[in-house]
Amino acid sequence: MRILVASDAWHPQVNGVVRTYERLSVELAALGVEMTVLAPHEFRTLPCPTYPEIRLALPGLGRVAHCFETVKPDAVHIATEGPIGWMARRYCLARGIRFTTSFHTRFPEYLGQRFAIPTAWTVSVLRRFHNAGAGLMVATPSLGRELESQGFERVLPWTRGIDTTLFHPRSVRHFGDGPVFLYVGRIAAEKNIEAFLDLQLPGRKVVVGSGPLLEELRARYPEVIFTGKRTGEALAECYASADVFVFPSRTDTFGMVLLEAMASGLAVAALPVCGPQDIVTDGVTGVLSADLRQAALKALALDRTVISVKAAEYSWEHAARLFLANVTGACLTGPQRMLARRKLPLAKAARPPLS
């Protein structure tokens, strides 16, 4: 089976979307599925405004058509709502090809915050984009309910996984004795990082990641350790060297860093918003509170062993099987689905929309 994923986010970008599809490709291969990514490097690109490290593809429908003709996909998934996503959507609609989409990024909130674009305008555009598909995958039940209330249709659940061979408790303390409060992620305005940096907390604060606000925040908060971007073992050791993971974002749709932190034995301190409230068990794997300082302090007392065990329940294999069930259920005809299910080791059919 061949699946074509159209995504404006791909290497060399480092973010949750890229890491999700990177791991998904590996897991699908183990299930006998070949995943091909239609990515920005296939096109001429321009730097994204305010995010020069992100390259936006220039329209190239001929390249899209060539990719479809070469891959001959059995199913199509459009991961992002950028130029590549719109081009792939246009190609599919023109040829009657069914496709699924996914909601990874809260563009209405981001564009409203950065450029004062009314949220309702962006929601309307995204609703038109996604409702043309055969299914919209979301990472959490709360996000699914929110999108359904805004008129998004055919919502399907698709969770994420965690690599426990990389992220697990370790006997390292790169940042000295505790308490160490850690943030990992993009250093950008929409992440609400200053809400963490302004907290009055004992010990020290550490920020791992890069982004447009890195140098500004490094200058404004000289007492905070800014490590820059870390990946692989270096990133895993940063998690293991901390005591509490502080997640100040109000706009993430999931937050893979939450799972990475929990698998490393870190309690999470977060606001009670979409993402954390679906992943974090309050009082067990973290503390959710509108008072982020109190949440961070209370999280220090939680059992690290229990936290890492709970995180291990998130399996990438399960996430891949659920993705595959969603695309086969939404994109393939009855006979095609029967053939696919005989050939592939699926655990279950696609689940019904979230209620």
Side-chain angles (χ1 to χ4, degrees):
M1 185 176 181
R2 295 179 300 275
I3 296 177
L4 178 63
V5 172
S7 178
D8 295 272
W10 197 240
H11 304 298
Q13 298 177 39
V14 178
N15 55 48
V17 177
V18 174
R19 289 157 72 187
T20 293
Y21 289 98
E22 182 179 49
R23 184 57 185 260
L24 178 64
S25 177
V26 174
E27 296 294 336
L28 288 178
L31 296 174
V33 178
E34 178 183 344
M35 187 184 108
T36 300
V37 179
L38 179 62
H41 67 265
E42 305 278 358
F43 303 82
R44 289 186 299 159
T45 60
L46 290 175
C48 177
T50 76
Y51 271 114
E53 66 271 26
I54 295 177
R55 306 291 299 187
L56 297 179
L58 294 174
L61 284 171
R63 179 67 192 117
V64 173
H66 175 74
C67 182
F68 272 78
E69 291 163 4
T70 301
V71 176
K72 294 180 173 58
D74 298 296
V76 177
H77 179 73
I78 300 177
T80 57
E81 306 95 332
I84 292 176
W86 279 97
M87 285 187 281
R89 176 185 181 276
R90 177 179 172 183
Y91 183 91
C92 289
L93 291 178
R95 287 156 181 80
I97 299 172
R98 294 171 66 85
F99 61 91
T100 55
T101 64
S102 49
F103 195 100
H104 291 286
T105 305
R106 289 182 176 273
F107 284 119
E109 288 82 355
Y110 290 176
L111 294 178
Q113 187 177 68
R114 287 175 174 272
F115 305 109
I117 298 175
T119 299
W121 293 5
T122 313
V123 169
S124 177
V125 172
L126 293 184
R127 185 168 53 237
R128 175 169 168 252
F129 180 93
H130 290 287
N131 283 356
L136 166 57
M137 299 190 209
V138 299
T140 63
S142 62
L143 177 61
R145 291 190 293 270
E146 178 184 330
L147 292 178
E148 287 181 331
S149 72
Q150 295 173 345
F152 289 79
E153 301 170 351
R154 295 175 290 281
V155 176
L156 299 169
W158 177 34
T159 188
R160 302 293 185 267
I162 183 65
D163 182 0
T164 54
T165 63
L166 177 61
F167 300 104
H168 54 81
R170 302 165 183 249
S171 299
V172 293
R173 295 296 298 189
H174 291 315
F175 310 118
D177 295 333
V180 172
F181 297 90
L182 176 71
Y183 166 85
V184 175
R186 195 163 62 249
I187 315 299
E190 66 270 13
K191 296 299 185 178
N192 195 32
I193 302 171
E194 290 162 273
F196 164 50
L197 300 179
D198 288 335
L199 296 178
Q200 296 297 314
L201 295 170
R204 58 183 55 82
K205 300 176 188 140
V206 178
V207 173
V208 177
S210 62
L213 289 184
L214 175 58
E215 295 307 320
E216 176 187 333
L217 294 182
R218 183 177 272 158
R220 287 173 52 194
Y221 298 92
E223 73 284 1
V224 175
I225 299 173
F226 289 87
T227 70
K229 183 171 69 176
R230 293 287 186 273
T231 59
E233 289 287 331
L235 173 61
E237 290 189 2
C238 286
Y239 281 117
S241 297
D243 298 289
V244 172
F245 185 78
V246 182
F247 191 73
S249 176
R250 296 179 179 274
T251 58
D252 275 62
T253 58
F254 186 81
M256 285 181 60
V257 290
L258 296 174
L259 288 184
E260 293 171 354
M262 289 161 53
S264 303
L266 271 69
V268 172
L271 301 170
V273 296
C274 178
Q277 67 184 9
D278 295 284
I279 301 168
V280 177
T281 303
D282 194 22
V284 179
T285 60
V287 178
L288 303 178
S289 173
D291 187 333
L292 201 55
R293 179 177 180 273
Q294 287 301 314
L297 293 174
K298 289 180 179 179
L300 284 169
L302 299 182
D303 190 320
R304 294 176 69 110
T305 300
V306 170
I307 295 168
S308 62
V309 169
K310 283 286 186 182
E313 296 174 0
Y314 285 84
S315 160
W316 272 118
E317 180 186 357
H318 171 70
R321 289 181 182 274
L322 186 53
F323 174 87
L324 191 54
N326 284 340
V327 297
T328 54
C331 295
L332 305 186
T333 64
Q336 288 174 320
R337 283 199 298 272
M338 290 177 64
L339 179 62
R341 287 169 180 170
R342 282 200 297 268
K343 290 182 176 181
L344 298 171
L346 287 176
K348 58 186 71 176
R351 297 179 184 178
L354 297 168
S355 59

